[in-house]
Structures are given as C-alpha cells and as structure tokens.
Amino acid sequence: MTFPSFRRSGYAAAAPSVEIDVEAYTPLVRKLASIMIARLPASVELGDLIQVGMIGLIEAARQFDPAQGVQFETFASQRIRGSMLDELRREDWLPRQARRNSRQIEEAISKLEQRLGRTPLESEIAVEMGLELEQYQDMLGDCKGTTLLHFEDFGGGDDESSHNPVTNVADEDSPDPLATFSDDSFRQQLISAIKFLPERDQLVMALYYEQELNLKEIGAVLGVTESRVCQLHSQAIARLRAKLKDWL
C-alpha cells in the first residue's frame, strides 16, 4: 500500500512526488504501541492502539512533504503517537480506584520519608498502609498507567471533589501544565528527586524513558518478571510524586 505525497492545487508549488510504502512502516506502529501500552492499565488493548496508530500512519503518508527536510519515520512517529493519544483522551483509561490507590501510596511514602529521613523500603510502605507485601505489590500493579503529572493535580485541593478538570478549563489563574513542565526550577527538582530514588528504580526509569525498552526487555536486564517491572515503575512514579508534592 503506497500513498503519494501531494499538495492541493491553488497552494504553493507542488513538492516532489514521493511514494510511501505504508506496510513497510507497520513495525513502527507496533513498536510505538508496545512502548505506550506499557504505561497504561490492562484494560487498554494493544490491538486497539495498533489500529488507531495505523490510521495515524496512513494520514502521515498522505500529508508527508519531503521538502520540509524531515525524515518520514520522524514525521510518521509524531502522527502515530498523536492518533493513539487522541484515542486515549476519548476514553477514561485510568479507573478512579487506581487513582485513589496511587494517591494512598504517595501519601504513605511521603509520611515515611518525613518520619525516617530516607527513602522507605517496599516492606515499610506496605506496613504503613496496613497491607501484606504481596497486597501492596498487587496494588502497584493496578496503578499501572499512572503518570508523573495528572491534569487533576491542578485542581488546587486534596479532596476528591476538587479534582474536577472542568473547573480549571476556563480559569486563567490556574497553573498551566505546559508551563510547569517547561519551568527550569521544576526540572531541577525532578532531577534531584530522581537521584534520591533507589538504584534499581533509577535503572528502571533510565531503561524505560531514555533507552525506550519495554517492560519485558527491562525484566530481562534486571532478571525479574514483566509484572515486577511494572510494579517497580509504578512505585518509582509514586516516589517521585511524593517528592514533588509541593510542586504538584
């Protein structure tokens, strides 16, 4: 399946025609979907992401203009990711209970750090929450898909009723998520927080976000199961959110 690159008549001079072999880039769609789904809960199907990713790939093939000096793979990757994210935004992909569990873990970690003056162990977090270690680890697995910064973090309160995104849409006084991410002070705080993570958590974050390995590949590096890597990733995010609580 190929699509020529074109411009509609009436616009600037037509770019050189180029045919894109869409089928040759289907592995790219699968790769991007596999990376993205590792950050999402089990309710999200890999096949669904691949399907919407293919739509993004086809659109990229239709709209690609080689005169812009960008490689097609780079251009297509942005469109594919965008299609997947648009689909996820249309769905409530993180259950409310998972968000609630995530906040409980963050609160337990924050309390222990203040009390102990160091990063708490998994077993200590479990005890603080009144759970067996296995129960706590299961909860971490259920929190798969939590991210460092949620839109709800800009609600301005701790109670669940204040985490209503609608109240912030037209509020000019609410913090801007993009501005927060671009803030130099926030980035420095994030770098410092990562340095305080346990060595294994730091390695998981580096392999996942810098090397872009999937959970299965990270498990092979660490010698643990894919589900265990998922737990470690969720715990690392919870530790970071607890450290950055004042910023969030």
Side-chain angles (χ1 to χ4, degrees):
M1 185 185 302
T2 58
F3 287 92
S5 178
F6 63 91
R7 290 180 183 270
R8 292 187 180 91
S9 60
Y11 285 80
S17 178
V18 59
E19 289 191 346
I20 303 298
D21 184 358
V22 171
E23 292 180 3
Y25 288 92
T26 54
L28 175 63
V29 175
R30 179 171 290 276
K31 175 185 176 182
L32 295 175
S34 297
I35 292 173
M36 185 172 291
I37 202 166
R39 310 175 189 182
L40 302 172
S43 58
V44 180
E45 296 288 341
L46 177 62
D48 293 340
L49 282 184
I50 292 174
Q51 183 175 359
V52 296
M54 286 300 299
I55 295 174
L57 174 61
I58 292 172
E59 288 300 315
R62 287 173 174 163
Q63 299 172 12
F64 179 60
D65 180 1
Q68 298 298 319
V70 179
Q71 292 185 348
F72 177 72
E73 183 169 342
T74 301
F75 178 78
S77 294
Q78 295 174 346
R79 294 306 177 98
I80 293 167
R81 289 193 189 98
S83 293
M84 294 177 183
L85 290 172
D86 286 344
E87 180 66 19
L88 290 171
R89 291 188 187 104
R90 285 192 284 267
E91 303 291 335
D92 185 14
W93 53 268
L94 188 62
R96 181 171 297 181
Q97 183 60 45
R99 295 188 189 277
R100 186 178 297 112
N101 290 345
S102 179
R103 287 199 296 271
Q104 291 175 353
I105 292 172
E106 292 160 23
E107 290 170 1
I109 291 173
S110 182
K111 290 178 182 178
L112 285 170
E113 285 182 343
Q114 294 177 14
R115 187 189 313 156
L116 301 174
R118 59 171 173 81
T119 300
L121 303 174
E122 272 187 303
S123 56
E124 292 170 332
I125 300 172
V127 171
E128 176 71 17
M129 297 183 68
L131 301 172
E132 297 292 334
L133 180 59
E134 185 176 353
Q135 291 176 309
Y136 168 67
Q137 291 175 342
D138 287 342
M139 183 180 287
L140 285 174
D142 292 338
C143 291
K144 175 184 177 183
T146 55
T147 57
L148 181 61
L149 195 64
H150 301 309
F151 187 53
E152 291 88 339
D153 289 324
F154 297 88
D158 293 330
D159 59 296
E160 191 161 332
S161 62
S162 69
H163 291 284
N164 180 6
V166 175
T167 63
N168 293 320
V169 171
D171 187 356
E172 295 181 357
D173 296 325
S174 294
D176 179 3
L178 293 178
T180 299
F181 273 125
S182 62
D183 185 88
D184 288 337
S185 298
F186 177 81
R187 289 203 299 270
Q188 290 303 317
Q189 290 287 336
L190 177 58
I191 291 171
S192 298
I194 290 174
K195 290 180 179 178
F196 277 100
L197 290 176
E199 185 175 348
R200 184 173 53 175
D201 287 11
Q202 289 188 43
L203 180 57
V204 169
M205 298 293 280
L207 293 174
Y208 191 65
Y209 291 102
E210 293 181 18
Q211 303 300 320
E212 294 191 343
L213 272 61
N214 59 38
L215 300 186
K216 185 176 181 179
E217 292 168 335
I218 296 173
V221 173
L222 300 180
V224 298
T225 64
E226 184 175 344
S227 61
R228 179 56 178 154
V229 177
C230 176
Q231 294 170 359
L232 292 173
H233 176 264
S234 295
Q235 184 169 250
I237 294 296
R239 291 185 192 278
L240 289 176
R241 285 177 56 84
K243 279 283 186 185
L244 298 170
K245 187 175 181 180
D246 291 340
W247 279 92
L248 303 181

